[in-house]
């Protein structure tokens, strides 16, 4: 009977540890779900919400594992020491993951962008959906999801197109050398000033900028609200082509004059 008692003594902690692990994981999932709902309803910054949920979920799972280790009778202090040594080895092996973790903390601390901003960085561009513990989620204009490592973003230049309320739209138009200079300037000015989304302060800038190989180049620079950038960009391009055709201003294609000498 002694061996039966011995088996019971050995099996009970194992069974209790397994039950604790299963129940604990289930409770963590429920708690994280409830916590996520509460955080979503809170007034916390949108950038912090997914990051906070991720950190709390990982933290609770670590505490659960430590509790299970204690139930099995393994000294927690020894386990923590082993875990620290293992963590050092894993850290050396996964330097990229640690870099991404540090990058996430840096991005949330320095706040070069927030959820909802349209950014460009690390070779990618899109609207920020979430800043996770290891990566940032970007949604492209054609609805693709891009997962950019936080380490890449924190170590690269970031262009944030959503910081300011206004942006400048720059245009360059080439016209034939035979075109009347004043007619071109007047036509361009009428087009941009008549567009309802173009701001009149600062005043639109329109000047002849270069004598090209095949055309005279004019620049037009106008200020718009950030959300109207692409609308103005495409509207003005279309209107310039239509109006130039109507008033007889040619838009030349690249060409070369060849002179032969006998």
């Amino acid at each position: 009977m002694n061996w039966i008692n011995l088996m019971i003594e050995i099996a009970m902690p194992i069974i209790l540890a397994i039950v604790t692990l299963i129940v604990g994981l289930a409770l963590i999932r429920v708690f994280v779900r409830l916590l996520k709902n509460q955080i979503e309803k809170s007034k916390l910054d949108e950038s912090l919400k997914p990051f906070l949920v991720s950190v709390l979920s990982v933290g609770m799972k670590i505490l659960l594992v430590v509790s299970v280790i204690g139930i099995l009778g393994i000294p927690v202090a020894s386990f923590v020491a082993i875990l620290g040594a293992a963590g050092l080895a894993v850290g050396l092996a996964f330097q990229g993951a640690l870099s991404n973790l540090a990058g996430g903390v840096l991005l949330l601390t320095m706040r070069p962008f927030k959820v909802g901003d349209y950014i460009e960085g690390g070779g990618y561009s899109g609207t920020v959906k979430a800043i996770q513990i290891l990566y940032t989620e970007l949604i492209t204009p054609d609805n693709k999801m891009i997962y950019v490592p936080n380490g890449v973003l924190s170590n690269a230049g970031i262009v944030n197109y959503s910081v300011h309320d206004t942006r400048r739209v720059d245009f360059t138009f080439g016209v034939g050398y035979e075109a009347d200079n004043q007619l071109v300037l007047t036509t361009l000015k009428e087009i941009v000033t008549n567009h309802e989304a173009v701001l009149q302060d600062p005043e639109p800038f329109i000047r002849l900028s270069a004598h090209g190989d095949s055309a005279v180049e004019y620049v037009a620079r106008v200020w718009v609200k950030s959300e109207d950038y692409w609308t103005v960009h495409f509207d003005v391009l279309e209107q310039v082509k239509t109006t130039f055709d109507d008033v007889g201003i040619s838009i030349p294609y690249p060409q070369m004059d060849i002179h032969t000498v006998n």
Side-chain angles (χ1 to χ4, degrees):
M1 297 296 293
N2 291 335
W3 66 272
I4 296 178
N5 293 332
L6 181 61
M7 290 295 295
I8 292 175
E9 290 179 3
I10 296 174
M12 285 302 295
I14 296 176
I15 294 174
L16 182 59
I18 293 174
V19 172
T20 302
L21 182 63
I22 295 174
V23 174
L25 289 174
L27 291 176
I28 288 174
R29 281 195 295 269
V30 174
F31 181 77
V32 169
R33 191 180 304 114
L34 294 174
L35 183 64
K36 184 178 180 180
N37 291 335
Q38 292 299 318
I39 290 178
E40 290 295 334
K41 296 177 183 177
S42 69
K43 296 182 179 180
L44 285 174
D45 190 279
E46 292 296 329
S47 305
L48 286 171
K49 292 179 180 179
F51 189 84
L52 186 59
V53 171
S54 299
V55 171
L56 291 175
S57 176
V58 172
M60 287 187 290
K61 288 177 181 177
I62 292 175
L63 291 176
L64 176 62
V65 171
V66 173
S67 300
V68 171
I69 293 297
I71 293 173
L72 291 174
I74 301 175
V76 176
S78 301
F79 173 74
V80 170
I82 295 173
L83 188 62
L88 179 60
V90 172
L92 294 175
F94 294 95
Q95 295 182 37
L98 293 177
S99 173
N100 293 334
L101 176 60
V105 174
L106 184 63
L107 291 175
L108 288 171
T109 303
M110 303 304 295
R111 299 175 60 80
F113 57 82
K114 62 182 184 298
V115 172
D117 287 352
Y118 188 89
I119 68 168
E120 179 181 331
Y124 304 95
S125 60
T127 301
V128 179
K129 179 183 179 184
I131 303 174
Q132 300 290 356
I133 190 170
L134 295 178
Y135 56 84
T136 295
E137 300 177 4
L138 299 181
I139 300 179
T140 64
D142 56 349
N143 208 31
K144 295 177 183 176
M145 180 69 78
I146 302 177
Y147 300 91
V148 186
N150 288 333
V152 173
L153 280 179
S154 62
N155 291 315
I158 299 173
V159 180
N160 191 334
Y161 293 97
S162 303
V163 172
H164 300 295
D165 295 332
T166 59
R167 289 181 62 186
R168 195 181 74 184
V169 191
D170 295 346
F171 299 96
T172 300
F173 301 104
V175 303
Y177 271 91
E178 72 282 357
D180 179 81
N181 178 64
Q182 193 57 47
L183 176 61
V184 175
L185 292 173
T186 302
T187 303
L188 289 175
K189 185 175 182 179
E190 289 178 354
I191 293 173
V192 298
T193 55
N194 289 336
H195 197 292
E196 59 183 7
V198 173
L199 302 177
Q200 301 306 311
D201 185 19
E203 184 180 355
F205 177 87
I206 303 168
R207 294 295 297 271
L208 190 156
S209 63
H211 297 154
D213 294 335
S214 304
V216 180
E217 296 179 1
Y218 292 81
V219 296
R221 298 168 183 165
V222 300
W223 288 89
V224 299
K225 293 182 178 180
S226 296
E227 61 268 22
D228 294 330
Y229 181 90
W230 289 112
T231 300
V232 172
H233 174 83
F234 292 118
D235 285 354
V236 170
L237 287 179
E238 293 174 358
Q239 190 62 42
V240 165
K241 177 63 171 70
T242 302
T243 306
F244 276 15
D245 288 345
D246 291 341
V247 299
I249 299 175
S250 64
I251 302 178
Y253 48 85
Q255 54 188 298
M256 179 183 298
D257 292 336
I258 300 176
H259 301 272
T260 60
V261 179
N262 292 328

